[in-house]
mmCIF file of all heavy atoms in Angstrom:
data_model
loop_
_atom_site.group_PDB
_atom_site.id
_atom_site.type_symbol
_atom_site.label_atom_id
_atom_site.label_comp_id
_atom_site.label_asym_id
_atom_site.label_seq_id
_atom_site.Cartn_x
_atom_site.Cartn_y
_atom_site.Cartn_z
ATOM 1 N N LEU A 1 -16.994 4.066 -2.801
ATOM 2 C CA LEU A 1 -16.815 3.372 -4.101
ATOM 3 C C LEU A 1 -16.150 2.037 -3.783
ATOM 4 O O LEU A 1 -16.667 0.989 -4.389
ATOM 5 C CB LEU A 1 -15.921 4.228 -4.976
ATOM 6 C CG LEU A 1 -15.594 3.610 -6.366
ATOM 7 C CD1 LEU A 1 -16.653 3.546 -7.242
ATOM 8 C CD2 LEU A 1 -14.386 4.355 -6.905
ATOM 9 N N VAL A 2 -15.201 1.916 -3.079
ATOM 10 C CA VAL A 2 -14.421 0.616 -2.813
ATOM 11 C C VAL A 2 -15.356 -0.288 -1.968
ATOM 12 O O VAL A 2 -15.441 -1.523 -2.265
ATOM 13 C CB VAL A 2 -13.110 0.909 -2.053
ATOM 14 C CG1 VAL A 2 -12.435 -0.403 -1.671
ATOM 15 C CG2 VAL A 2 -12.117 1.571 -3.097
ATOM 16 N N PHE A 3 -15.882 0.142 -0.972
ATOM 17 C CA PHE A 3 -16.736 -0.701 -0.112
ATOM 18 C C PHE A 3 -17.983 -1.164 -0.845
ATOM 19 O O PHE A 3 -18.403 -2.395 -0.564
ATOM 20 C CB PHE A 3 -17.055 0.016 1.191
ATOM 21 C CG PHE A 3 -15.893 0.200 2.111
ATOM 22 C CD1 PHE A 3 -15.966 1.272 3.051
ATOM 23 C CD2 PHE A 3 -14.720 -0.505 1.979
ATOM 24 C CE1 PHE A 3 -14.835 1.648 3.831
ATOM 25 C CE2 PHE A 3 -13.625 -0.224 2.788
ATOM 26 C CZ PHE A 3 -13.754 0.817 3.652
ATOM 27 N N ASP A 4 -18.580 -0.348 -1.672
ATOM 28 C CA ASP A 4 -19.676 -0.904 -2.595
ATOM 29 C C ASP A 4 -19.295 -1.902 -3.489
ATOM 30 O O ASP A 4 -20.009 -2.915 -3.721
ATOM 31 C CB ASP A 4 -20.332 0.292 -3.239
ATOM 32 C CG ASP A 4 -21.303 1.183 -2.280
ATOM 33 O OD1 ASP A 4 -21.504 0.703 -1.211
ATOM 34 O OD2 ASP A 4 -21.755 2.138 -2.819
ATOM 35 N N THR A 5 -18.084 -1.760 -4.039
ATOM 36 C CA THR A 5 -17.524 -2.834 -4.911
ATOM 37 C C THR A 5 -17.285 -4.110 -4.206
ATOM 38 O O THR A 5 -17.583 -5.148 -4.710
ATOM 39 C CB THR A 5 -16.122 -2.298 -5.584
ATOM 40 O OG1 THR A 5 -16.452 -1.074 -6.341
ATOM 41 C CG2 THR A 5 -15.575 -3.317 -6.472
ATOM 42 N N PHE A 6 -16.801 -4.049 -2.933
ATOM 43 C CA PHE A 6 -16.661 -5.218 -2.139
ATOM 44 C C PHE A 6 -17.938 -5.971 -1.959
ATOM 45 O O PHE A 6 -17.968 -7.223 -1.845
ATOM 46 C CB PHE A 6 -16.099 -4.829 -0.852
ATOM 47 C CG PHE A 6 -14.607 -4.535 -0.678
ATOM 48 C CD1 PHE A 6 -14.017 -4.130 0.524
ATOM 49 C CD2 PHE A 6 -13.804 -4.678 -1.826
ATOM 50 C CE1 PHE A 6 -12.647 -3.920 0.577
ATOM 51 C CE2 PHE A 6 -12.406 -4.406 -1.778
ATOM 52 C CZ PHE A 6 -11.885 -4.030 -0.593
ATOM 53 N N LYS A 7 -18.991 -5.187 -1.862
ATOM 54 C CA LYS A 7 -20.348 -5.809 -1.743
ATOM 55 C C LYS A 7 -21.028 -6.173 -3.022
ATOM 56 O O LYS A 7 -22.177 -6.610 -3.043
ATOM 57 C CB LYS A 7 -21.245 -4.811 -0.974
ATOM 58 C CG LYS A 7 -20.830 -4.469 0.385
ATOM 59 C CD LYS A 7 -21.611 -3.359 1.072
ATOM 60 C CE LYS A 7 -21.098 -2.967 2.432
ATOM 61 N NZ LYS A 7 -21.926 -1.852 2.966
ATOM 62 N N ASN A 8 -20.316 -6.086 -4.153
ATOM 63 C CA ASN A 8 -20.879 -6.313 -5.477
ATOM 64 C C ASN A 8 -22.057 -5.462 -5.793
ATOM 65 O O ASN A 8 -22.882 -5.849 -6.561
ATOM 66 C CB ASN A 8 -21.278 -7.868 -5.570
ATOM 67 C CG ASN A 8 -20.035 -8.784 -5.716
ATOM 68 O OD1 ASN A 8 -19.237 -8.574 -6.568
ATOM 69 N ND2 ASN A 8 -19.928 -9.746 -4.857
ATOM 70 N N LYS A 9 -21.990 -4.233 -5.281
ATOM 71 C CA LYS A 9 -23.044 -3.247 -5.620
ATOM 72 C C LYS A 9 -22.582 -2.541 -7.029
ATOM 73 O O LYS A 9 -21.446 -2.459 -7.285
ATOM 74 C CB LYS A 9 -23.169 -2.195 -4.524
ATOM 75 C CG LYS A 9 -23.873 -2.727 -3.232
ATOM 76 C CD LYS A 9 -24.007 -1.561 -2.251
ATOM 77 C CE LYS A 9 -24.821 -2.053 -1.084
ATOM 78 N NZ LYS A 9 -24.963 -0.938 -0.060
ATOM 79 N N PRO A 10 -23.554 -1.980 -7.751
ATOM 80 C CA PRO A 10 -23.289 -1.237 -8.866
ATOM 81 C C PRO A 10 -22.609 0.061 -8.451
ATOM 82 O O PRO A 10 -22.958 0.597 -7.414
ATOM 83 C CB PRO A 10 -24.702 -0.873 -9.525
ATOM 84 C CG PRO A 10 -25.604 -1.909 -8.903
ATOM 85 C CD PRO A 10 -25.057 -2.313 -7.544
ATOM 86 N N VAL A 11 -21.566 0.381 -9.243
ATOM 87 C CA VAL A 11 -20.835 1.621 -8.950
ATOM 88 C C VAL A 11 -20.726 2.490 -10.099
ATOM 89 O O VAL A 11 -20.792 2.014 -11.241
ATOM 90 C CB VAL A 11 -19.388 1.239 -8.407
ATOM 91 C CG1 VAL A 11 -19.475 0.582 -7.034
ATOM 92 C CG2 VAL A 11 -18.677 0.326 -9.360
ATOM 93 N N SER A 12 -20.365 3.820 -9.868
ATOM 94 C CA SER A 12 -20.303 4.729 -10.939
ATOM 95 C C SER A 12 -19.126 4.465 -11.777
ATOM 96 O O SER A 12 -19.211 4.916 -13.020
ATOM 97 C CB SER A 12 -20.193 6.131 -10.315
ATOM 98 O OG SER A 12 -19.161 6.369 -9.468
ATOM 99 N N ARG A 13 -18.050 3.988 -11.261
ATOM 100 C CA ARG A 13 -16.895 3.579 -12.085
ATOM 101 C C ARG A 13 -16.172 2.485 -11.355
ATOM 102 O O ARG A 13 -16.309 2.336 -10.147
ATOM 103 C CB ARG A 13 -15.901 4.733 -12.315
ATOM 104 C CG ARG A 13 -15.302 5.323 -11.048
ATOM 105 C CD ARG A 13 -14.404 6.480 -11.343
ATOM 106 N NE ARG A 13 -13.706 7.054 -10.048
ATOM 107 C CZ ARG A 13 -12.694 6.515 -9.506
ATOM 108 N NH1 ARG A 13 -12.117 5.445 -10.070
ATOM 109 N NH2 ARG A 13 -12.202 6.999 -8.434
ATOM 110 N N VAL A 14 -15.346 1.698 -12.127
ATOM 111 C CA VAL A 14 -14.567 0.601 -11.521
ATOM 112 C C VAL A 14 -13.420 1.248 -10.837
ATOM 113 O O VAL A 14 -12.559 1.957 -11.442
ATOM 114 C CB VAL A 14 -14.140 -0.338 -12.630
ATOM 115 C CG1 VAL A 14 -13.149 -1.399 -12.104
ATOM 116 C CG2 VAL A 14 -15.386 -1.069 -13.361
ATOM 117 N N PRO A 15 -13.230 0.911 -9.540
ATOM 118 C CA PRO A 15 -12.025 1.425 -8.860
ATOM 119 C C PRO A 15 -10.744 0.830 -9.391
ATOM 120 O O PRO A 15 -10.657 -0.310 -10.011
ATOM 121 C CB PRO A 15 -12.191 0.871 -7.342
ATOM 122 C CG PRO A 15 -13.664 0.480 -7.286
ATOM 123 C CD PRO A 15 -14.092 0.062 -8.637
ATOM 124 N N VAL A 16 -9.645 1.448 -9.127
ATOM 125 C CA VAL A 16 -8.325 1.038 -9.625
ATOM 126 C C VAL A 16 -7.359 1.094 -8.387
ATOM 127 O O VAL A 16 -7.362 2.027 -7.621
ATOM 128 C CB VAL A 16 -7.796 1.932 -10.738
ATOM 129 C CG1 VAL A 16 -6.284 1.693 -11.079
ATOM 130 C CG2 VAL A 16 -8.607 1.825 -11.955
ATOM 131 N N GLY A 17 -6.677 -0.001 -8.175
ATOM 132 C CA GLY A 17 -5.696 -0.078 -7.097
ATOM 133 C C GLY A 17 -4.359 -0.731 -7.457
ATOM 134 O O GLY A 17 -4.309 -1.816 -7.901
ATOM 135 N N PHE A 18 -3.254 0.007 -7.232
ATOM 136 C CA PHE A 18 -1.921 -0.461 -7.413
ATOM 137 C C PHE A 18 -1.096 -0.133 -6.254
ATOM 138 O O PHE A 18 -1.274 0.793 -5.486
ATOM 139 C CB PHE A 18 -1.258 0.177 -8.700
ATOM 140 C CG PHE A 18 -1.997 -0.288 -9.933
ATOM 141 C CD1 PHE A 18 -2.842 0.695 -10.591
ATOM 142 C CD2 PHE A 18 -1.799 -1.515 -10.563
ATOM 143 C CE1 PHE A 18 -3.557 0.320 -11.734
ATOM 144 C CE2 PHE A 18 -2.389 -1.796 -11.769
ATOM 145 C CZ PHE A 18 -3.323 -0.895 -12.462
ATOM 146 N N TRP A 19 0.009 -0.950 -5.987
ATOM 147 C CA TRP A 19 0.874 -0.697 -4.820
ATOM 148 C C TRP A 19 2.278 -1.098 -5.092
ATOM 149 O O TRP A 19 2.471 -1.956 -6.047
ATOM 150 C CB TRP A 19 0.327 -1.319 -3.548
ATOM 151 C CG TRP A 19 -0.123 -2.736 -3.887
ATOM 152 C CD1 TRP A 19 0.624 -3.901 -3.875
ATOM 153 C CD2 TRP A 19 -1.495 -3.118 -4.255
ATOM 154 N NE1 TRP A 19 -0.112 -4.907 -4.198
ATOM 155 C CE2 TRP A 19 -1.403 -4.532 -4.434
ATOM 156 C CE3 TRP A 19 -2.678 -2.569 -4.406
ATOM 157 C CZ2 TRP A 19 -2.550 -5.310 -4.765
ATOM 158 C CZ3 TRP A 19 -3.726 -3.204 -4.782
ATOM 159 C CH2 TRP A 19 -3.733 -4.653 -4.929
ATOM 160 N N PHE A 20 3.192 -0.612 -4.449
ATOM 161 C CA PHE A 20 4.644 -0.991 -4.559
ATOM 162 C C PHE A 20 5.316 -0.733 -3.272
ATOM 163 O O PHE A 20 4.811 -0.109 -2.390
ATOM 164 C CB PHE A 20 5.360 -0.300 -5.757
ATOM 165 C CG PHE A 20 4.867 1.125 -5.854
ATOM 166 C CD1 PHE A 20 5.511 2.189 -5.101
ATOM 167 C CD2 PHE A 20 3.860 1.581 -6.789
ATOM 168 C CE1 PHE A 20 5.174 3.403 -5.222
ATOM 169 C CE2 PHE A 20 3.565 2.840 -6.803
ATOM 170 C CZ PHE A 20 4.192 3.803 -6.049
ATOM 171 N N HIS A 21 6.622 -1.036 -3.196
ATOM 172 C CA HIS A 21 7.437 -0.831 -1.974
ATOM 173 C C HIS A 21 8.061 0.580 -2.091
ATOM 174 O O HIS A 21 8.359 0.995 -3.136
ATOM 175 C CB HIS A 21 8.425 -1.938 -1.725
ATOM 176 C CG HIS A 21 7.853 -3.320 -1.545
ATOM 177 N ND1 HIS A 21 7.171 -3.625 -0.432
ATOM 178 C CD2 HIS A 21 7.758 -4.379 -2.470
ATOM 179 C CE1 HIS A 21 6.832 -4.849 -0.492
ATOM 180 N NE2 HIS A 21 7.099 -5.251 -1.745
ATOM 181 N N TYR A 22 8.200 1.110 -0.891
ATOM 182 C CA TYR A 22 8.767 2.568 -0.830
ATOM 183 C C TYR A 22 10.159 2.627 -0.340
ATOM 184 O O TYR A 22 10.706 3.719 -0.179
ATOM 185 C CB TYR A 22 7.822 3.380 0.003
ATOM 186 C CG TYR A 22 6.392 3.397 -0.466
ATOM 187 C CD1 TYR A 22 5.355 2.698 0.152
ATOM 188 C CD2 TYR A 22 6.127 4.219 -1.612
ATOM 189 C CE1 TYR A 22 4.080 2.652 -0.327
ATOM 190 C CE2 TYR A 22 4.774 4.252 -2.064
ATOM 191 C CZ TYR A 22 3.744 3.535 -1.404
ATOM 192 O OH TYR A 22 2.486 3.539 -1.874
ATOM 193 N N THR A 23 10.842 1.457 -0.080
ATOM 194 C CA THR A 23 12.200 1.547 0.477
ATOM 195 C C THR A 23 13.068 0.816 -0.584
ATOM 196 O O THR A 23 12.691 0.029 -1.242
ATOM 197 C CB THR A 23 12.322 0.818 1.829
ATOM 198 O OG1 THR A 23 11.850 -0.556 1.740
ATOM 199 C CG2 THR A 23 11.368 1.530 2.911
ATOM 200 N N PRO A 24 14.366 1.071 -0.502
ATOM 201 C CA PRO A 24 15.330 0.495 -1.474
ATOM 202 C C PRO A 24 15.355 -1.014 -1.403
ATOM 203 O O PRO A 24 15.506 -1.672 -2.391
ATOM 204 C CB PRO A 24 16.703 1.098 -1.101
ATOM 205 C CG PRO A 24 16.362 2.426 -0.465
ATOM 206 C CD PRO A 24 15.106 2.196 0.248
ATOM 207 N N ASN A 25 15.313 -1.544 -0.293
ATOM 208 C CA ASN A 25 15.339 -3.014 -0.008
ATOM 209 C C ASN A 25 14.279 -3.382 1.161
ATOM 210 O O ASN A 25 14.616 -3.289 2.342
ATOM 211 C CB ASN A 25 16.615 -3.481 0.266
ATOM 212 C CG ASN A 25 16.686 -5.019 0.381
ATOM 213 O OD1 ASN A 25 15.697 -5.701 0.317
ATOM 214 N ND2 ASN A 25 17.892 -5.664 0.326
ATOM 215 N N GLU A 26 13.073 -3.602 0.773
ATOM 216 C CA GLU A 26 11.958 -3.819 1.795
ATOM 217 C C GLU A 26 12.140 -4.957 2.643
ATOM 218 O O GLU A 26 11.554 -4.989 3.672
ATOM 219 C CB GLU A 26 10.598 -3.848 0.974
ATOM 220 C CG GLU A 26 10.437 -5.119 0.075
ATOM 221 C CD GLU A 26 11.029 -4.913 -1.285
ATOM 222 O OE1 GLU A 26 11.603 -3.796 -1.601
ATOM 223 O OE2 GLU A 26 10.925 -5.837 -2.077
ATOM 224 N N ILE A 27 12.961 -5.930 2.258
ATOM 225 C CA ILE A 27 13.088 -7.141 3.030
ATOM 226 C C ILE A 27 14.021 -6.853 4.321
ATOM 227 O O ILE A 27 13.973 -7.638 5.182
ATOM 228 C CB ILE A 27 13.691 -8.273 2.243
ATOM 229 C CG1 ILE A 27 13.422 -9.613 2.884
ATOM 230 C CG2 ILE A 27 15.235 -8.081 1.948
ATOM 231 C CD1 ILE A 27 11.956 -10.052 2.844
ATOM 232 N N LEU A 28 14.739 -5.774 4.356
ATOM 233 C CA LEU A 28 15.607 -5.468 5.506
ATOM 234 C C LEU A 28 14.756 -5.070 6.699
ATOM 235 O O LEU A 28 13.549 -4.743 6.505
ATOM 236 C CB LEU A 28 16.589 -4.350 5.104
ATOM 237 C CG LEU A 28 17.598 -4.686 4.015
ATOM 238 C CD1 LEU A 28 18.509 -3.555 3.728
ATOM 239 C CD2 LEU A 28 18.384 -5.971 4.292
ATOM 240 N N SER A 29 15.342 -5.010 7.839
ATOM 241 C CA SER A 29 14.663 -4.679 9.075
ATOM 242 C C SER A 29 14.865 -3.204 9.438
ATOM 243 O O SER A 29 15.967 -2.680 9.349
ATOM 244 C CB SER A 29 15.162 -5.558 10.197
ATOM 245 O OG SER A 29 14.560 -5.091 11.415
ATOM 246 N N ALA A 30 13.780 -2.584 9.759
ATOM 247 C CA ALA A 30 13.954 -1.159 10.247
ATOM 248 C C ALA A 30 14.699 -1.005 11.525
ATOM 249 O O ALA A 30 15.102 0.098 11.844
ATOM 250 C CB ALA A 30 12.422 -0.581 10.438
ATOM 251 N N TYR A 31 14.899 -2.176 12.245
ATOM 252 C CA TYR A 31 15.699 -2.127 13.519
ATOM 253 C C TYR A 31 17.111 -2.104 13.111
ATOM 254 O O TYR A 31 17.970 -1.788 13.974
ATOM 255 C CB TYR A 31 15.281 -3.310 14.333
ATOM 256 C CG TYR A 31 13.878 -3.205 14.718
ATOM 257 C CD1 TYR A 31 12.923 -4.028 14.205
ATOM 258 C CD2 TYR A 31 13.402 -2.214 15.552
ATOM 259 C CE1 TYR A 31 11.587 -3.971 14.510
ATOM 260 C CE2 TYR A 31 11.992 -2.078 15.893
ATOM 261 C CZ TYR A 31 11.157 -2.981 15.384
ATOM 262 O OH TYR A 31 9.776 -2.836 15.683
ATOM 263 N N ASP A 32 17.468 -2.477 11.905
ATOM 264 C CA ASP A 32 18.820 -2.472 11.416
ATOM 265 C C ASP A 32 19.092 -1.167 10.582
ATOM 266 O O ASP A 32 20.230 -0.649 10.542
ATOM 267 C CB ASP A 32 19.187 -3.708 10.591
ATOM 268 C CG ASP A 32 19.199 -4.996 11.398
ATOM 269 O OD1 ASP A 32 19.513 -4.877 12.564
ATOM 270 O OD2 ASP A 32 18.808 -6.050 10.892
ATOM 271 N N LYS A 33 17.949 -0.821 10.000
ATOM 272 C CA LYS A 33 18.042 0.421 9.056
ATOM 273 C C LYS A 33 16.874 1.420 9.433
ATOM 274 O O LYS A 33 15.868 1.412 8.829
ATOM 275 C CB LYS A 33 17.838 -0.014 7.614
ATOM 276 C CG LYS A 33 18.822 -1.076 7.013
ATOM 277 C CD LYS A 33 20.104 -0.319 6.690
ATOM 278 C CE LYS A 33 21.172 -1.261 5.996
ATOM 279 N NZ LYS A 33 22.423 -0.571 5.644
ATOM 280 N N PRO A 34 17.118 2.072 10.568
ATOM 281 C CA PRO A 34 16.089 2.995 10.947
ATOM 282 C C PRO A 34 15.564 4.037 9.910
ATOM 283 O O PRO A 34 14.373 4.392 10.024
ATOM 284 C CB PRO A 34 16.720 3.779 12.111
ATOM 285 C CG PRO A 34 17.908 2.865 12.611
ATOM 286 C CD PRO A 34 18.326 2.211 11.318
ATOM 287 N N GLU A 35 16.289 4.380 8.929
ATOM 288 C CA GLU A 35 15.842 5.212 7.868
ATOM 289 C C GLU A 35 14.673 4.677 7.121
ATOM 290 O O GLU A 35 13.890 5.526 6.421
ATOM 291 C CB GLU A 35 16.948 5.621 7.025
ATOM 292 C CG GLU A 35 17.535 4.523 6.167
ATOM 293 C CD GLU A 35 18.635 3.766 6.856
ATOM 294 O OE1 GLU A 35 18.780 3.844 8.121
ATOM 295 O OE2 GLU A 35 19.457 3.058 6.117
ATOM 296 N N MET A 36 14.451 3.362 7.159
ATOM 297 C CA MET A 36 13.350 2.713 6.383
ATOM 298 C C MET A 36 12.049 3.260 6.719
ATOM 299 O O MET A 36 11.197 3.405 5.913
ATOM 300 C CB MET A 36 13.429 1.211 6.503
ATOM 301 C CG MET A 36 14.629 0.583 5.821
ATOM 302 S SD MET A 36 14.543 -1.255 5.995
ATOM 303 C CE MET A 36 13.250 -1.742 4.950
ATOM 304 N N ARG A 37 11.880 3.516 7.975
ATOM 305 C CA ARG A 37 10.505 4.010 8.468
ATOM 306 C C ARG A 37 10.166 5.320 7.854
ATOM 307 O O ARG A 37 9.045 5.390 7.266
ATOM 308 C CB ARG A 37 10.525 4.152 10.009
ATOM 309 C CG ARG A 37 9.155 4.497 10.593
ATOM 310 C CD ARG A 37 9.255 4.616 12.058
ATOM 311 N NE ARG A 37 7.984 4.965 12.634
ATOM 312 C CZ ARG A 37 6.979 4.099 13.034
ATOM 313 N NH1 ARG A 37 7.197 2.787 13.012
ATOM 314 N NH2 ARG A 37 5.846 4.644 13.606
ATOM 315 N N GLU A 38 11.014 6.255 7.747
ATOM 316 C CA GLU A 38 10.707 7.587 7.255
ATOM 317 C C GLU A 38 10.619 7.489 5.704
ATOM 318 O O GLU A 38 9.797 8.039 5.094
ATOM 319 C CB GLU A 38 11.796 8.612 7.545
ATOM 320 C CG GLU A 38 11.427 9.960 7.017
ATOM 321 C CD GLU A 38 10.060 10.487 7.414
ATOM 322 O OE1 GLU A 38 9.648 10.334 8.561
ATOM 323 O OE2 GLU A 38 9.353 11.050 6.419
ATOM 324 N N GLN A 39 11.393 6.583 5.001
ATOM 325 C CA GLN A 39 11.272 6.339 3.604
ATOM 326 C C GLN A 39 9.905 5.799 3.318
ATOM 327 O O GLN A 39 9.332 6.174 2.290
ATOM 328 C CB GLN A 39 12.362 5.408 3.112
ATOM 329 C CG GLN A 39 13.835 5.916 3.123
ATOM 330 C CD GLN A 39 14.826 4.771 2.930
ATOM 331 O OE1 GLN A 39 14.524 3.601 3.110
ATOM 332 N NE2 GLN A 39 16.080 5.247 2.644
ATOM 333 N N ASN A 40 9.469 4.878 4.131
ATOM 334 C CA ASN A 40 8.133 4.267 3.894
ATOM 335 C C ASN A 40 7.058 5.382 4.047
ATOM 336 O O ASN A 40 6.151 5.400 3.223
ATOM 337 C CB ASN A 40 7.896 3.073 4.943
ATOM 338 C CG ASN A 40 6.851 2.132 4.549
ATOM 339 O OD1 ASN A 40 6.374 2.106 3.472
ATOM 340 N ND2 ASN A 40 6.494 1.321 5.490
ATOM 341 N N ILE A 41 7.046 6.051 5.105
ATOM 342 C CA ILE A 41 6.020 7.080 5.360
ATOM 343 C C ILE A 41 6.066 8.189 4.204
ATOM 344 O O ILE A 41 5.043 8.427 3.590
ATOM 345 C CB ILE A 41 6.279 7.809 6.631
ATOM 346 C CG1 ILE A 41 5.994 6.856 7.802
ATOM 347 C CG2 ILE A 41 5.374 8.946 6.822
ATOM 348 C CD1 ILE A 41 6.439 7.392 9.188
#
């Protein structure tokens, strides 16, 4: 569905995509805050 949309092909429905950050403060470094990696996963 997504790759056909990328190619401007007709699709059965319009895909929907949203995203957000998964850690309390995403700008910090996982090397200072190792727990960020598991929070992200």
